[in-house]
Structure formats: structure tokens, C-alpha cells
Amino acid sequence: SSDDAVYDPNTIPLHHIICDQGRDGLCLDFKTYYYVGLDTETSGKDKKIARILEVAFASLVDKVLFSAYFNPPEDYEISPDAFRVNNISKASLLGKDTTEHGLAKLFMALNEARGDRKLCFIGHNIEQFDLPLMENELRRYESCCELLPMLDEVYLIDTLTLARAKEVWIDLDKPKPKSRTLGELHSLLVGETILNSHSAMGDVLGNIRVLAAMDPTYKFSQQYMKKYK
């Protein structure tokens, strides 16, 4: 994405909108929290054994973007279902950072960007999947275990939780959707499919747009924000 892109609500992700259009009327505490959209693409659905193959984050505050592929050095399998969704193969990961080095780079980037603010991750089902999966990855490596206290202190806004909340839909004067997948919420609320869906950055930016459409002032986001641990 380009920092000098012309504002177009159909194409410019929300982190540009917030940075470029101001924060008036938004119920977010930008002085205390560093809000970051987060997504992972993985080798499978079982968070106990799945490996992170791709991770991305996009700040809602200052246009900082991070995207990386991980090449787990250990023996692991990519499930057929996971490959059908994200199209990531072992061969495509050759030459990428090992998981250990990639995690270190990820958290270094997050620490540099947030300064003295608290991290607040925004994602779809991150409370039950992405963050526990990341915690499991950190525990695999002795050099990464020192990062676990940082993860213990993060906050989260889960758009799946918001999508299940009756109050959100009453406020929007819309019926609650039967399906709450990120893709279907994006189609319903944004009116189009996610660009580059099931890539980590594509889903990060798509989810940020879903949140903006579902909770334009972030009133409910602030109410439903919680600490991960």
C-alpha cells in the first residue's frame, strides 16, 4: 500500500482512513493502546500442532505494515484443507526465515512501533485461534520464551465476538448474519469479496474494513476489548 494514496473508501484500507482522515468521533484510546490488525495463515486447524506459515499485521495508528512467511525447520505437514485455503506449500517456503527468526522479527517490529503503548490486536477469532497458536510457537523455542510475557500483556478486539453480539446489529439496524466467517461478513458489510483473501495481509485489511463497517465509531469495540490473559 502507498502512503500517498488518494482516499477511496472502496480500495484504501482502514489504517489509511484513520491516519489520513483524523480520529474525531472514534471511541478508541490512541494514547494508551497501539491498535494492530493481525492474521496468520497456518498448516492446519488444530492449534495444538498447527504451524504458522504466514503472519501479517497492519497498524490502525501509523500505517506500519508487516508481512512475513515462516519456514518451520521441524518436520510438519500442511493439511490438504489448509493448502486449498491459503495455497502455501513447503516448497514455497524454502529460503524464508525459520519460525524462530521470524517470530523475533515480528515482535521486534511490534515493539518498535508501539513505543510505550499497550498492544491491542484486532482479528477474526484471534482469541481462540491465532493468539493461542502464536503462544504455542513461542514456547517451541528457548530464544522466544522471553517474548511470552509480552504476549501475556496484550489486549484484543475479536471481530467474531463482535459479530455474535446482538447489540452491534441492533445499532446497525440489521439482522444478525447466520454465518460469521470473515469472508461472508465482508461481503455483507463491505459489499465485495476480500482482496487477496486467505493471504495474511489480505485478511488483516479485510477484517479491518469489516470492523469499520460493523462498528463505525468503535463504541462496541471498546466495550468488548479484553486482555488476552
Side-chain angles (χ1 to χ4, degrees), residues 25-26 28 37 40 82 88 105 123 141-142 146 212 226:
L26 301 184
L28 295 176
T40 61
I88 300 175
K105 287 183 178 179
Y141 305 103
E142 186 176 351
E146 63 186 30
K226 61 185 293 187

Side-chain angles (χ1 to χ4, degrees), residues 75-120:
D75 186 35
Y76 72 100
E77 297 298 326
I78 299 175
S79 75
D81 285 344
F83 178 73
R84 278 194 292 271
V85 169
N86 57 38
N87 201 35
I88 300 175
S89 66
K90 285 188 173 183
S92 69
L93 297 175
L94 294 176
K96 305 298 184 185
D97 275 331
T98 63
T99 307
E100 184 175 9
H101 292 153
L103 287 169
K105 287 183 178 179
L106 168 68
F107 278 85
M108 183 182 298
L110 285 167
N111 267 329
E112 288 179 356
R114 74 183 177 108
D116 59 359
R117 290 163 292 185
K118 299 174 184 178
L119 273 175
C120 180

Side-chain angles (χ1 to χ4, degrees), residues 11-218:
T11 59
I12 304 302
L14 181 65
H15 69 292
H16 279 262
I17 298 172
I18 287 180
C19 292
D20 297 337
Q21 305 302 308
R23 303 171 182 176
D24 292 344
L26 301 184
C27 301
L28 295 176
D29 183 356
F30 290 98
K31 291 183 179 179
T32 305
Y33 300 99
Y34 187 73
Y35 299 95
V36 178
L38 178 75
D39 186 71
T40 61
E41 296 298 325
T42 67
S43 64
K45 293 181 178 180
D46 186 343
K47 61 189 175 188
K48 294 180 181 179
I49 61 173
R51 306 305 305 271
I52 295 176
L53 307 180
E54 185 188 11
V55 64
F57 76 74
S59 166
L60 276 71
V61 180
D62 52 18
K63 303 182 184 178
V64 172
L65 301 172
F66 178 96
S67 180
Y69 288 92
F70 293 174
N71 183 17
E74 301 85 3
D75 186 35
Y76 72 100
E77 297 298 326
I78 299 175
S79 75
D81 285 344
F83 178 73
R84 278 194 292 271
V85 169
N86 57 38
N87 201 35
I88 300 175
S89 66
K90 285 188 173 183
S92 69
L93 297 175
L94 294 176
K96 305 298 184 185
D97 275 331
T98 63
T99 307
E100 184 175 9
H101 292 153
L103 287 169
K105 287 183 178 179
L106 168 68
F107 278 85
M108 183 182 298
L110 285 167
N111 267 329
E112 288 179 356
R114 74 183 177 108
D116 59 359
R117 290 163 292 185
K118 299 174 184 178
L119 273 175
C120 180
F121 287 126
I122 297 168
H124 196 73
N125 199 30
I126 56 169
E127 182 178 11
Q128 297 299 321
F129 187 74
D130 300 79
L131 290 181
L133 181 62
M134 188 171 291
E135 186 175 353
N136 290 340
E137 289 282 36
L138 291 172
R139 293 186 187 281
R140 286 189 171 98
Y141 305 103
E142 186 176 351
S143 67
C144 292
C145 284
E146 63 186 30
L147 299 172
L148 284 166
M150 179 178 166
L151 196 61
D152 289 344
E153 294 300 315
V154 303
Y155 289 75
L156 64 92
I157 296 170
D158 197 319
T159 52
L160 180 57
T161 301
L162 282 175
R164 290 170 172 161
K166 180 176 67 175
E167 297 89 349
V168 175
W169 301 98
I170 290 174
D171 211 51
L172 286 174
D173 195 26
K174 288 187 178 182
K176 286 175 65 175
K178 293 181 179 179
S179 172
R180 301 178 185 92
T181 65
L182 177 57
E184 296 208 22
L185 286 171
H186 196 278
S187 295
L188 173 69
L189 294 168
V190 182
E192 61 189 32
T193 58
I194 297 174
L195 184 65
N196 298 321
S197 66
H198 299 300
S199 69
M201 186 58 78
D203 284 354
V204 163
L205 299 179
N207 190 54
I208 288 173
R209 295 181 73 192
V210 164
L211 180 61
M214 186 163 49
D215 187 18
T217 65
Y218 303 93

